[in-house]
Every structure is written in structure tokens, then in C-alpha cells.
Amino acid sequence: MIIAVLSGFFFAIIALLSGKPIRKNMGWIPALLPLTLFIYFFSLLPALASGPLRFKYEWVPSMGVNADMKLDGLSMLFCLLITGIGTGVFLYASYYLKGHQYLNRFFCYLSIFMAAMLGMVLADNLVLLFVFWELTSISSFFLIGFNNEEKISRRNALMALTITGAGGFLLMAGCILIGSASGTYSINSLLASAGNLQQHTLYGWMLLFIFAGAFTKSAQFPFHFWLPGAMVAPTPVSAYLHSATMVKAGIYLLARFTPILGHTAPWNITLMIVGGITMLYSAFHSLQRTDLKEILAYSTIAALGILVFLLGVGTDAALLAAAAFILVHALYKAALFMVAGILDHETGTRHVGLLRGLGKVMWPVATAGLLAALSSAGVPLTYGFIGKDLIYEATLHAPSFAVLLTAVAVLTNIFVLYAGFQAGIRPFAGELPQQYRQLHLPGWRLWIPPLVLALLGVVFGLLPSLTDEALIRQVYTSIGGQGTLPPLKIWHGFNTVLLLSGITLVAGCLLYFLYAPSAAFRPLTDKWQHFSPEAITIKCSRAFLKFSNWYTNLFHSGYLRAYVSIIIIFITCLLGLKLVLDVKVYFDIKTNISGIRLYDAVVFAIILAAIWKSVSTSSRINAVASLSVVGYCICLLFVIYSAPDLAMTQFTIDTLTVVLFVLVLFRLPPFLKINDRKVILRDAVLAALFGAVISIIALEAMNEPTTKEISRFYAENAYVMAKGKNVVNVMLVDFRGFDTLVEITVLTIAALGVYSLMKLRVNSTTKE
Amino acid sequence: MKSIILKTASNYLLPLLLLFAVFILFRGHYKPGGGFVGGLIASIAFVLHAFANGLQSTRKLLRYPPGAFIPTGLAISLLSGLAPMFAGKPFMSAEWLSIHIPIIGLLGTPLFFDIGVFFVVIGIALTILFTISETIL
């Protein structure tokens, strides 16, 4: 299982390195990866009937973080969608972006994304889930910004990353909170402690954090605005990420947590309200768009709203409807996106007003569009009809506000139908304009995937039993559905649900024939633009930039002396405050401080003299030399108090520092007395205070009864365990070897910093 | 800074100091010393040589740019940490051979780790000093 998840990451590296073959004519090869995975997951489907499959992998067992995977109904549905639609999208992209300069990078990002999605839906550990969650955000950032030479692409990619990243951050908080409240990070064990979690005093915060993650990822109001912006991505990306998979990650999260945190009033009411607002708001917005992909984006947000809303209703019927609708929506929306992509690819425009009569030149594409649109409309005999039936069934029998909820659902579905017809039917109907007459059918890799998806929508509609027991029921049980519900059927007889479906169809068709999509309403809604969540977010980020600019300028004067004083003032205040407030300062001269011997006194006198010389001299070389005297005297102290390792290191470091100083001194301008008496006095006071604080701390530290256990452990075990007699060195290379490894890495970074700083300066002067 | 005495002395001092640095490096396991100090001493040796003979000749002597020592050392340290993993032990657990070699002492992964530190320190000290002095002078 873990190989299946990680294969995408390995493949990403291979794809990145094999740019030439992928660009030439081997572009279809990457599609074999999702296809293989699809077959693999599909072969596991029968095994699912006897309960979820679990895979155990150790990761950090000491912290309860394991790379455990669990394949239940919900994971299976998502895995099949990710790999199945992935196969289509990989094929589609290989033609859509044929010959693109960076096609290999595209497949690299796409396979990373696919692997991350698979990992996320399979993860049975909160930490693992979060890691993959973030990976999907990051890989989608690269995919949205794939046309990175366009400013709008970069801007919208950044916007999507900011929103989903902020949500991911809160999700992390939620995961940690849930993990520490229940004592386990394993999702499977969380199921058992659901009751405890819901009684927990921090239950509200858990909900808040989980919702923040899910709503940002799944583009729920008021975080919806990144999704239409993300449509700047190449169409395969939109079809894959923004209809079928990534935006459903939030839905997945909510569904996964329904049995754990759900079925409480705050959970249900929040989801219903947010989902309800989202579906109406965006369905209404889709009426005002004229760009095919934007229409589809808004109708996707509406569909996501419906899913959140259904999870919020939370009855058994609603959970079943959500399970079915995830599949329904993925099938028709990915097909519609691909159809829109074909139109864009062939005609160069996505404006609904300009595209007419294309069914005559590309009939398979038209068929795919028509079938997908019918499924999205919920016309009888399509899978969409069954999905819509289940939705109405759920809202009609909701425990409260049934009429209101049904009305909202019907209204949204009318708009969704309209959007589907706009994208799937309108471009192919009517007279073919002159300029499109020479168009012909594009390569099969472009139109086969949407056609297959759309056909599946019809096949599943005709034979609902194909998906019912094997998949949808499994999803239903894994998200906490308990009661037995009637099987999915094409025909339920004459009842209210059918009436509502009829109303939806008639009203939607009327709307389609009477109202041509136009931007006529735009000025009206644009008036409210100042208050839209998008505008507020942009304003906040501008204000943040301004603030950080101001803050940086406040502290960064560019003078080294200013930096040093700020740092010292800060440390003195912080430590001084702590000393005054919390520590009872006393020291016992008799017991703690050994008597002062002659050589102590001599070394001390030399240090004092050297310091006095270094601050009073007016020659730099004198100052440096006196400082080095101070350094060497400290070496002497180390030797006297038996720390030869420290002394050696200090000695060599001091030597090198002096050399460095001498090198730099040549370049400095002649010594200037820039400080007047006041500044000198100020610095003297500051230095004295800082010295006093440090001395008090040093004396105080001796008073504290430190545990000698650690040093004793090292002293006793250095030879026994690590075969070394020099305890300091054994600690450096063995006991605390990992620290040393990180330290030398840090040193490397410092050296690189010096190198690039100096070299950069040379470049800028040569330019002048 | 051209001085015949320094120049002549540095030619003899360089190998001596380098030997001393290596000695300090190997000595570290039992007595004061170790990769860090050893590396610093070795870089002082090269800096002395550079003072006497000019940077260019030291660079020629080193053959590789001092920056190249850094990744080499990091790689040695990292590999010495990774090596036990092939034997199924956790990352960075010490592994010793039972062969005792005079001066060097026991062979083991911590020794190689220390050798890595030695190279990294030489690389860093020389990179910083050489870069600054080249830019300044």
C-alpha cells in the first residue's frame, strides 16, 4: 500500500529528469501510472465488503505517529476517483499541453499531487493526514501557477496557497488538539473515543480548527474566492484538482470526522448554514459569468456547498446522498471541464457568447458535453437523477426546517442545471459561425476521457446497482451511516421527490432558454465588491505588508552599532526583569566561591588592563590586539580550571578572529571620533548593566541545585558505551552527534552567507 | 606582507602544522582534541601560508577551492551516520571495528564523523577568510 502511495513521488522525479521523451511523443506514458494504481485499487474493491483493510507502517512510534493506512469505503471512493480521473487527466494533458516547454515539470507536479491526495485519503493517522494535506496545497500551488510568466497566474496561485495554507495551519492546530485531548493520533482509535471528544471542554475549538481547514480547502463561503481565481491553471489541472479531487479534500475531512465529531448541534448547524450560504451564493454567481471555466468554477463551489450542507443535515439519508453525490459530481464536472478545455484549445476562446454550433464539427465532444450536462441537470436515467433524488429525499425528511432546506436545495439545483447546460450544451447547439468551419476533431486523447466519464454517468444511472452495494454503501457506513436504506433505484414512483425533480428540470430549462448568460448584473454586484471576502483579504495582506515594512525600518537602521545596542538593550531588559521579578538573588561566598589565588588575580588584572586599552585607544589595530589579549586570558582561565578542550578551541578561534580583523582593518576609513560624550556615557551605562546582569546570572546559576545526573551519565558511560576517554569529544561525536551534524550544517550556511554577501558586493561595484 | 623569514618558515611550518592538526584530530577520542580544533589548526596553517606566500599560491596548493571541503566533510559525516542504518541500527548509532591501529586508535563511525567535522571546519574557515581577504585586498 505504501508503495502505491509513494510511487507518485518516485515517478515525479523520473518525469522531471526525462524531459525530452515526454515532450516528444511519449507523453502518454505517464498516464500508465494512474491507470496501474486504478487497477490496483479496483482489485481491492471486493475485499472491502468484509470490512476496511488496514496497513500498518511504523514511522515515529515513540510519539504515537505512525504511517498507518486504512482503506475503507470513503478512502476507496476517493482513491478510485483520484486514480481513475487521474488516468483521464494525464492522457488529456499529454495532448492538451503537447510540446509545452515544461511538460515534464507539469507531470512531475501532477504526480506529486496525485500521490499526496492518495496519501491523504488513505492516512489513518492525524499527523500523516496533515502532512499529505499540506503536500496537496503545495503541489496545487505549482499547478495553478504553471503559466508562471503571467502575473495573474502567480497572483492567483499565491492567493490559493495563502488561503489553503492558512486553513492547513489551523487544521494542524486542530489535529494536535484532538490528538492531545484523546491521547491518540490514530483515526481508527478516535472512532472509539468520539463520545469523550464531544464532551471535551475544548470541543468548540476542535470544531473551529477542523472547519477552518475544510472550508478553506473546499472553497466554502467566505473562503470561496480562491477557486475561481485558480482557473488560470491549465484546464487539465482545473478538471483534476478543482472539480474532482483537491477541493473535495475538505469534504473528505468533514466526512471522515463526521463519526468522530459530528452529530452534535454545533456541528450540524454550522455545516448547514455555511453549506447553504455557499451553494446559493455561488450558484447565483454562476449566472453572471460568461467564461466557461468561471461558470464551472462557481457551479463547483455550489456542489461543494451541497456536500457540506448534506453532511450538516447529518441524517442517514443525507449521508447516503452525500456519498452518492461525491461520485455524481466528480463524473460530470470533470467531463464538463475537459469539454470546456477542448473548446478553449480548438477555438481559443471560452466566452459562452461566441461559441455556437460546434456539435457539427466535433460530435464526440458534443456527446460528452450533452451527457455530462444531462447528468448535472439530473435528467431521469442519468446518475445525476439518482443523486438529486437522494438529496431531495434527505432534505424533505430533515429533522427541522425541512421546507426551507428543500427550497434552498431546489433553487441551487436549478442554477447548477443552468451552469451545466451553458457549458455542455450551448456551445454545441445552433448555427456554426463562419470562423469555426475549418475546425475538426482533436486527437482521441483529448475527447476520450470526457466521453468515458460522461458515459459512466449514464451507465451508473441506468444500472445503479453497479455502484450501490460495492461502493456507495461502503462509503455510507464509513462516514457513520447506520440505518438500512432502500437501494438506489431509477424509479421511485410518483411522490414529492419526483415532483421536486420535475420542478427543477422545468425551471432550469426555462431559465436556460429565457436568460442568456451576460454580465448585465455585474455592475449591481460589483457595488458590493468592497465588502467581499476577497477584497477584505487583499486589504489585510496590504496592511500587513505596510506594517512589516514599517517594523523593519524601525529596527534596521543599517548601523552595526545600532543593532548591537538594540540586541543588548533587549536582552538586558528581558533578563533583568526576570531576575527582579522571579529570582531571589543571594550568594554564599564561603561555600560556592573558591578563594582567589595569585594567578587568578594576575589574569584578572591583565584582562582589565586590556579592556581599558581597547576602549580608550584611538588605533584600531591596538583595539584588536587588546581584545585578543582578553581572549587569550580567558583561554588561560579555562586551562586553570581544567577545561583543556575549551581552551584549545578558544585559542584557535581567537587567532583566526584576529587574522580576520587584521584583514578587514586595511579597508576601513581612518579612525574617527564620531561619538560625543553623551553617547559614550550611554554606551558605558548599557555595557555596565549588561555585564552586571550576566554576572548575577552566573553567580545565581551556581546556587541552583543542578542535577548532576546528566554529567555523571556522560562521565561514566563515555568509555563503557562509546569507547572514548575524552568525555567532551565523545559527547560531540557520539552522544550528541546529531546536534553536531546540525551545527556543522548551520556553519556551512553561515559560510555560504559570507561568501554570497562578499561576492554580491563585488558584482554591484563592478556594475557601477 | 613579504618577509623572507616568514616565507621560509611557513614552508616548513605548513606540513608540521597539518600533521599536528591531524594528530589533534585522532587524539580527540582519548585526550583533549577533536575534529573541530583539528580543523581550526589546519586552517590556521593554511592562513599562515597564505600570509607568507600570497593567496594565489595557497589556492594552488589546495588544488580545490576551499568551498569544496564543506560538502565533502558534510557527506563524510552524514554517511558515517547513515552507515549503521544498513546494519539495521538507528541513525547515528556508533559502530566500532575491533582493529586497533597505532596513533589513530579504534576504527569506528564516530571517527569518520569527526573527520567529516574536520573537513567542514577547514572549508568554512578558509572560505570565510579567503573570500573576505580577496574582496578586501
Side-chain angles (χ1 to χ4, degrees), chain B residues 99-122:
Chain B
I99 316 163
H100 197 280
I101 302 171
I103 301 171
I104 295 177
L106 278 178
L107 270 186
T109 51
L111 181 70
F112 286 99
F113 185 80
D114 223 9
I115 293 174
V117 174
F118 179 79
F119 280 116
V120 173
V121 170
I122 295 182

PDB file of all heavy atoms in Angstrom, chain B residues 99-122:
ATOM      1  N   ILE B  99      39.682  -3.543  15.339  1.00  0.00           N
ATOM      2  CA  ILE B  99      41.093  -3.414  14.969  1.00  0.00           C
ATOM      3  C   ILE B  99      41.656  -2.180  15.655  1.00  0.00           C
ATOM      4  O   ILE B  99      41.037  -1.119  15.629  1.00  0.00           O
ATOM      5  CB  ILE B  99      41.256  -3.224  13.451  1.00  0.00           C
ATOM      6  CG1 ILE B  99      40.337  -4.200  12.732  1.00  0.00           C
ATOM      7  CG2 ILE B  99      42.701  -3.381  13.037  1.00  0.00           C
ATOM      8  CD1 ILE B  99      40.101  -3.839  11.302  1.00  0.00           C
ATOM      9  N   HIS B 100      42.789  -2.322  16.257  1.00  0.00           N
ATOM     10  CA  HIS B 100      43.416  -1.180  16.910  1.00  0.00           C
ATOM     11  C   HIS B 100      44.619  -0.741  16.103  1.00  0.00           C
ATOM     12  O   HIS B 100      45.548  -1.506  15.880  1.00  0.00           O
ATOM     13  CB  HIS B 100      43.824  -1.554  18.337  1.00  0.00           C
ATOM     14  CG  HIS B 100      44.084  -0.344  19.170  1.00  0.00           C
ATOM     15  ND1 HIS B 100      45.259   0.348  19.102  1.00  0.00           N
ATOM     16  CD2 HIS B 100      43.301   0.311  20.064  1.00  0.00           C
ATOM     17  CE1 HIS B 100      45.202   1.380  19.926  1.00  0.00           C
ATOM     18  NE2 HIS B 100      44.018   1.373  20.521  1.00  0.00           N
ATOM     19  N   ILE B 101      44.597   0.492  15.626  1.00  0.00           N
ATOM     20  CA  ILE B 101      45.706   0.976  14.817  1.00  0.00           C
ATOM     21  C   ILE B 101      46.473   1.983  15.663  1.00  0.00           C
ATOM     22  O   ILE B 101      45.851   2.827  16.318  1.00  0.00           O
ATOM     23  CB  ILE B 101      45.182   1.667  13.546  1.00  0.00           C
ATOM     24  CG1 ILE B 101      44.317   0.672  12.768  1.00  0.00           C
ATOM     25  CG2 ILE B 101      46.325   2.188  12.688  1.00  0.00           C
ATOM     26  CD1 ILE B 101      43.588   1.285  11.626  1.00  0.00           C
ATOM     27  N   PRO B 102      47.800   1.910  15.659  1.00  0.00           N
ATOM     28  CA  PRO B 102      48.574   2.872  16.456  1.00  0.00           C
ATOM     29  C   PRO B 102      48.256   4.302  16.013  1.00  0.00           C
ATOM     30  O   PRO B 102      47.983   4.546  14.846  1.00  0.00           O
ATOM     31  CB  PRO B 102      50.032   2.504  16.141  1.00  0.00           C
ATOM     32  CG  PRO B 102      50.001   1.224  15.424  1.00  0.00           C
ATOM     33  CD  PRO B 102      48.619   0.909  15.009  1.00  0.00           C
ATOM     34  N   ILE B 103      48.350   5.254  16.949  1.00  0.00           N
ATOM     35  CA  ILE B 103      48.049   6.669  16.754  1.00  0.00           C
ATOM     36  C   ILE B 103      46.570   6.907  16.514  1.00  0.00           C
ATOM     37  O   ILE B 103      45.918   7.663  17.222  1.00  0.00           O
ATOM     38  CB  ILE B 103      48.850   7.314  15.597  1.00  0.00           C
ATOM     39  CG1 ILE B 103      50.343   7.186  15.874  1.00  0.00           C
ATOM     40  CG2 ILE B 103      48.473   8.789  15.467  1.00  0.00           C
ATOM     41  CD1 ILE B 103      51.206   7.584  14.720  1.00  0.00           C
ATOM     42  N   ILE B 104      45.989   6.253  15.516  1.00  0.00           N
ATOM     43  CA  ILE B 104      44.586   6.519  15.183  1.00  0.00           C
ATOM     44  C   ILE B 104      43.668   5.948  16.256  1.00  0.00           C
ATOM     45  O   ILE B 104      42.690   6.555  16.644  1.00  0.00           O
ATOM     46  CB  ILE B 104      44.238   5.919  13.804  1.00  0.00           C
ATOM     47  CG1 ILE B 104      45.041   6.645  12.730  1.00  0.00           C
ATOM     48  CG2 ILE B 104      42.761   6.036  13.523  1.00  0.00           C
ATOM     49  CD1 ILE B 104      44.865   6.129  11.345  1.00  0.00           C
ATOM     50  N   GLY B 105      44.009   4.771  16.740  1.00  0.00           N
ATOM     51  CA  GLY B 105      43.160   4.151  17.749  1.00  0.00           C
ATOM     52  C   GLY B 105      42.135   3.258  17.094  1.00  0.00           C
ATOM     53  O   GLY B 105      42.392   2.681  16.033  1.00  0.00           O
ATOM     54  N   LEU B 106      41.007   3.139  17.729  1.00  0.00           N
ATOM     55  CA  LEU B 106      39.963   2.258  17.208  1.00  0.00           C
ATOM     56  C   LEU B 106      39.324   2.873  15.967  1.00  0.00           C
ATOM     57  O   LEU B 106      39.149   4.079  15.892  1.00  0.00           O
ATOM     58  CB  LEU B 106      38.891   2.048  18.268  1.00  0.00           C
ATOM     59  CG  LEU B 106      39.161   0.995  19.326  1.00  0.00           C
ATOM     60  CD1 LEU B 106      38.027   0.967  20.308  1.00  0.00           C
ATOM     61  CD2 LEU B 106      39.333  -0.368  18.685  1.00  0.00           C
ATOM     62  N   LEU B 107      38.972   2.008  15.032  1.00  0.00           N
ATOM     63  CA  LEU B 107      38.239   2.487  13.861  1.00  0.00           C
ATOM     64  C   LEU B 107      36.753   2.379  14.144  1.00  0.00           C
ATOM     65  O   LEU B 107      36.277   1.376  14.662  1.00  0.00           O
ATOM     66  CB  LEU B 107      38.560   1.606  12.661  1.00  0.00           C
ATOM     67  CG  LEU B 107      39.742   2.015  11.779  1.00  0.00           C
ATOM     68  CD1 LEU B 107      39.802   1.100  10.578  1.00  0.00           C
ATOM     69  CD2 LEU B 107      39.613   3.451  11.339  1.00  0.00           C
ATOM     70  N   GLY B 108      36.032   3.424  13.808  1.00  0.00           N
ATOM     71  CA  GLY B 108      34.597   3.355  14.043  1.00  0.00           C
ATOM     72  C   GLY B 108      33.902   4.518  13.396  1.00  0.00           C
ATOM     73  O   GLY B 108      34.550   5.465  12.933  1.00  0.00           O
ATOM     74  N   THR B 109      32.580   4.455  13.351  1.00  0.00           N
ATOM     75  CA  THR B 109      31.847   5.533  12.675  1.00  0.00           C
ATOM     76  C   THR B 109      32.051   6.884  13.338  1.00  0.00           C
ATOM     77  O   THR B 109      32.133   7.884  12.637  1.00  0.00           O
ATOM     78  CB  THR B 109      30.358   5.190  12.573  1.00  0.00           C
ATOM     79  OG1 THR B 109      29.899   4.831  13.859  1.00  0.00           O
ATOM     80  CG2 THR B 109      30.120   4.077  11.608  1.00  0.00           C
ATOM     81  N   PRO B 110      32.154   6.991  14.694  1.00  0.00           N
ATOM     82  CA  PRO B 110      32.385   8.320  15.268  1.00  0.00           C
ATOM     83  C   PRO B 110      33.672   8.951  14.772  1.00  0.00           C
ATOM     84  O   PRO B 110      33.754  10.167  14.631  1.00  0.00           O
ATOM     85  CB  PRO B 110      32.449   8.055  16.766  1.00  0.00           C
ATOM     86  CG  PRO B 110      31.646   6.836  16.959  1.00  0.00           C
ATOM     87  CD  PRO B 110      31.901   6.008  15.761  1.00  0.00           C
ATOM     88  N   LEU B 111      34.680   8.106  14.480  1.00  0.00           N
ATOM     89  CA  LEU B 111      35.935   8.649  13.965  1.00  0.00           C
ATOM     90  C   LEU B 111      35.690   9.318  12.619  1.00  0.00           C
ATOM     91  O   LEU B 111      36.140  10.432  12.363  1.00  0.00           O
ATOM     92  CB  LEU B 111      36.959   7.526  13.839  1.00  0.00           C
ATOM     93  CG  LEU B 111      38.313   7.992  13.337  1.00  0.00           C
ATOM     94  CD1 LEU B 111      38.995   8.830  14.396  1.00  0.00           C
ATOM     95  CD2 LEU B 111      39.184   6.811  12.964  1.00  0.00           C
ATOM     96  N   PHE B 112      34.938   8.627  11.762  1.00  0.00           N
ATOM     97  CA  PHE B 112      34.662   9.209  10.451  1.00  0.00           C
ATOM     98  C   PHE B 112      33.794  10.457  10.574  1.00  0.00           C
ATOM     99  O   PHE B 112      33.956  11.417   9.837  1.00  0.00           O
ATOM    100  CB  PHE B 112      33.995   8.175   9.537  1.00  0.00           C
ATOM    101  CG  PHE B 112      34.955   7.154   9.063  1.00  0.00           C
ATOM    102  CD1 PHE B 112      35.039   5.925   9.677  1.00  0.00           C
ATOM    103  CD2 PHE B 112      35.821   7.439   8.021  1.00  0.00           C
ATOM    104  CE1 PHE B 112      35.948   4.989   9.265  1.00  0.00           C
ATOM    105  CE2 PHE B 112      36.744   6.510   7.598  1.00  0.00           C
ATOM    106  CZ  PHE B 112      36.807   5.276   8.219  1.00  0.00           C
ATOM    107  N   PHE B 113      32.920  10.419  11.541  1.00  0.00           N
ATOM    108  CA  PHE B 113      32.105  11.601  11.797  1.00  0.00           C
ATOM    109  C   PHE B 113      33.007  12.778  12.133  1.00  0.00           C
ATOM    110  O   PHE B 113      32.861  13.877  11.607  1.00  0.00           O
ATOM    111  CB  PHE B 113      31.151  11.309  12.959  1.00  0.00           C
ATOM    112  CG  PHE B 113      30.188  12.417  13.231  1.00  0.00           C
ATOM    113  CD1 PHE B 113      29.053  12.563  12.461  1.00  0.00           C
ATOM    114  CD2 PHE B 113      30.424  13.320  14.248  1.00  0.00           C
ATOM    115  CE1 PHE B 113      28.169  13.587  12.707  1.00  0.00           C
ATOM    116  CE2 PHE B 113      29.545  14.350  14.496  1.00  0.00           C
ATOM    117  CZ  PHE B 113      28.412  14.485  13.722  1.00  0.00           C
ATOM    118  N   ASP B 114      34.003  12.528  12.996  1.00  0.00           N
ATOM    119  CA  ASP B 114      34.924  13.584  13.413  1.00  0.00           C
ATOM    120  C   ASP B 114      35.763  14.056  12.233  1.00  0.00           C
ATOM    121  O   ASP B 114      36.045  15.244  12.105  1.00  0.00           O
ATOM    122  CB  ASP B 114      35.820  13.062  14.535  1.00  0.00           C
ATOM    123  CG  ASP B 114      35.978  14.102  15.626  1.00  0.00           C
ATOM    124  OD1 ASP B 114      35.265  15.112  15.565  1.00  0.00           O
ATOM    125  OD2 ASP B 114      36.818  13.907  16.520  1.00  0.00           O
ATOM    126  N   ILE B 115      36.146  13.121  11.373  1.00  0.00           N
ATOM    127  CA  ILE B 115      36.910  13.508  10.177  1.00  0.00           C
ATOM    128  C   ILE B 115      36.055  14.438   9.305  1.00  0.00           C
ATOM    129  O   ILE B 115      36.535  15.438   8.765  1.00  0.00           O
ATOM    130  CB  ILE B 115      37.349  12.255   9.397  1.00  0.00           C
ATOM    131  CG1 ILE B 115      38.372  11.478  10.223  1.00  0.00           C
ATOM    132  CG2 ILE B 115      37.934  12.640   8.056  1.00  0.00           C
ATOM    133  CD1 ILE B 115      38.764  10.143   9.625  1.00  0.00           C
ATOM    134  N   GLY B 116      34.760  14.116   9.211  1.00  0.00           N
ATOM    135  CA  GLY B 116      33.852  14.984   8.450  1.00  0.00           C
ATOM    136  C   GLY B 116      33.823  16.380   9.042  1.00  0.00           C
ATOM    137  O   GLY B 116      33.929  17.380   8.328  1.00  0.00           O
ATOM    138  N   VAL B 117      33.701  16.460  10.379  1.00  0.00           N
ATOM    139  CA  VAL B 117      33.686  17.756  11.050  1.00  0.00           C
ATOM    140  C   VAL B 117      34.973  18.517  10.732  1.00  0.00           C
ATOM    141  O   VAL B 117      34.951  19.710  10.420  1.00  0.00           O
ATOM    142  CB  VAL B 117      33.538  17.574  12.577  1.00  0.00           C
ATOM    143  CG1 VAL B 117      33.662  18.906  13.286  1.00  0.00           C
ATOM    144  CG2 VAL B 117      32.207  16.936  12.911  1.00  0.00           C
ATOM    145  N   PHE B 118      36.096  17.795  10.783  1.00  0.00           N
ATOM    146  CA  PHE B 118      37.406  18.362  10.485  1.00  0.00           C
ATOM    147  C   PHE B 118      37.391  19.073   9.126  1.00  0.00           C
ATOM    148  O   PHE B 118      37.742  20.238   9.005  1.00  0.00           O
ATOM    149  CB  PHE B 118      38.399  17.198  10.508  1.00  0.00           C
ATOM    150  CG  PHE B 118      39.833  17.539  10.200  1.00  0.00           C
ATOM    151  CD1 PHE B 118      40.640  18.111  11.164  1.00  0.00           C
ATOM    152  CD2 PHE B 118      40.366  17.248   8.954  1.00  0.00           C
ATOM    153  CE1 PHE B 118      41.966  18.397  10.886  1.00  0.00           C
ATOM    154  CE2 PHE B 118      41.694  17.531   8.670  1.00  0.00           C
ATOM    155  CZ  PHE B 118      42.498  18.114   9.637  1.00  0.00           C
ATOM    156  N   PHE B 119      36.907  18.365   8.116  1.00  0.00           N
ATOM    157  CA  PHE B 119      36.897  18.949   6.767  1.00  0.00           C
ATOM    158  C   PHE B 119      35.935  20.119   6.667  1.00  0.00           C
ATOM    159  O   PHE B 119      36.229  21.128   6.029  1.00  0.00           O
ATOM    160  CB  PHE B 119      36.551  17.879   5.721  1.00  0.00           C
ATOM    161  CG  PHE B 119      37.716  17.020   5.357  1.00  0.00           C
ATOM    162  CD1 PHE B 119      37.710  15.667   5.628  1.00  0.00           C
ATOM    163  CD2 PHE B 119      38.830  17.586   4.762  1.00  0.00           C
ATOM    164  CE1 PHE B 119      38.796  14.875   5.301  1.00  0.00           C
ATOM    165  CE2 PHE B 119      39.919  16.807   4.437  1.00  0.00           C
ATOM    166  CZ  PHE B 119      39.903  15.443   4.700  1.00  0.00           C
ATOM    167  N   VAL B 120      34.773  19.982   7.285  1.00  0.00           N
ATOM    168  CA  VAL B 120      33.804  21.070   7.210  1.00  0.00           C
ATOM    169  C   VAL B 120      34.403  22.336   7.825  1.00  0.00           C
ATOM    170  O   VAL B 120      34.305  23.427   7.264  1.00  0.00           O
ATOM    171  CB  VAL B 120      32.496  20.693   7.936  1.00  0.00           C
ATOM    172  CG1 VAL B 120      31.580  21.898   7.998  1.00  0.00           C
ATOM    173  CG2 VAL B 120      31.803  19.561   7.237  1.00  0.00           C
ATOM    174  N   VAL B 121      35.077  22.169   8.981  1.00  0.00           N
ATOM    175  CA  VAL B 121      35.634  23.342   9.659  1.00  0.00           C
ATOM    176  C   VAL B 121      36.716  23.991   8.796  1.00  0.00           C
ATOM    177  O   VAL B 121      36.743  25.211   8.631  1.00  0.00           O
ATOM    178  CB  VAL B 121      36.174  22.946  11.047  1.00  0.00           C
ATOM    179  CG1 VAL B 121      36.971  24.077  11.642  1.00  0.00           C
ATOM    180  CG2 VAL B 121      35.020  22.583  11.953  1.00  0.00           C
ATOM    181  N   ILE B 122      37.594  23.169   8.212  1.00  0.00           N
ATOM    182  CA  ILE B 122      38.617  23.742   7.315  1.00  0.00           C
ATOM    183  C   ILE B 122      37.933  24.524   6.194  1.00  0.00           C
ATOM    184  O   ILE B 122      38.274  25.676   5.905  1.00  0.00           O
ATOM    185  CB  ILE B 122      39.487  22.625   6.687  1.00  0.00           C
ATOM    186  CG1 ILE B 122      40.295  21.907   7.752  1.00  0.00           C
ATOM    187  CG2 ILE B 122      40.429  23.220   5.647  1.00  0.00           C
ATOM    188  CD1 ILE B 122      41.198  20.838   7.175  1.00  0.00           C
TER     189      ILE B 122
END
